[in-house]
Amino acid sequence: MSDGLRIRLDRTLCDGFGICAKHAPEYFSLDDWGYASLIGDGTVAEKDRDAVMRALLDCPVHAIIAVGTSRPSDDGTAHPDARPEATEPEPRNDSDAVAEFVR
Ligand code: SF4
């Protein structure tokens, strides 16, 4: 089962093309200059997913961003968007490098 789509809008990127509001008017409103605002909290109903994804993909400046959720899947496994924790590299002993160089 899917966790559902969540989006956010980076208004600093929006260039006022208005495409998003054309595709998904329930999720995007335009101000007097054509700049978009997100309606609601970014949670996308499954029935609106295609329209919102179309808005996301057609935005010329990529101002609409799909946000992954951190909830685990229903089966208890990690969400597919989850990334493993970055691991710290092993501390390097500079004398090892010198010893390698000298050999
Ligand atoms: S499609 Fe993109 S650039 Fe155009 S109004 Fe919507 S968010 Fe702004």
Side-chain angles (χ1 to χ4, degrees):
M1 185 170 167
S2 161
D3 285 343
L5 175 65
R6 291 194 62 231
I7 57 168
R8 69 180 186 84
L9 173 68
D10 186 342
R11 296 192 72 209
T12 64
L13 295 176
C14 177
D15 250 344
F17 291 94
I19 297 167
C20 53
K22 192 178 99 190
H23 288 317
E26 306 84 9
Y27 291 86
F28 303 97
S29 64
L30 302 179
D31 66 15
D32 291 345
W33 295 273
Y35 292 95
S37 291
L38 198 57
I39 300 171
D41 67 357
T43 303
V44 178
E46 195 59 36
K47 69 175 179 58
D48 299 328
R49 185 185 182 93
D50 288 350
V52 171
M53 280 306 293
R54 189 156 178 209
L56 184 152
L57 294 171
D58 282 358
C59 175
V61 294
H62 309 289
I64 305 163
I65 300 139
V67 180
T69 63
S70 59
R71 289 189 299 147
S73 302
D74 290 344
D75 62 2
T77 59
H79 188 274
D81 292 344
R83 296 194 180 124
E85 293 281 321
T87 54
E88 286 289 317
E90 287 288 317
R92 190 176 164 98
N93 184 345
D94 285 342
S95 64
D96 291 346
V98 171
E100 287 285 325
F101 183 74
V102 172
R103 282 187 207 156

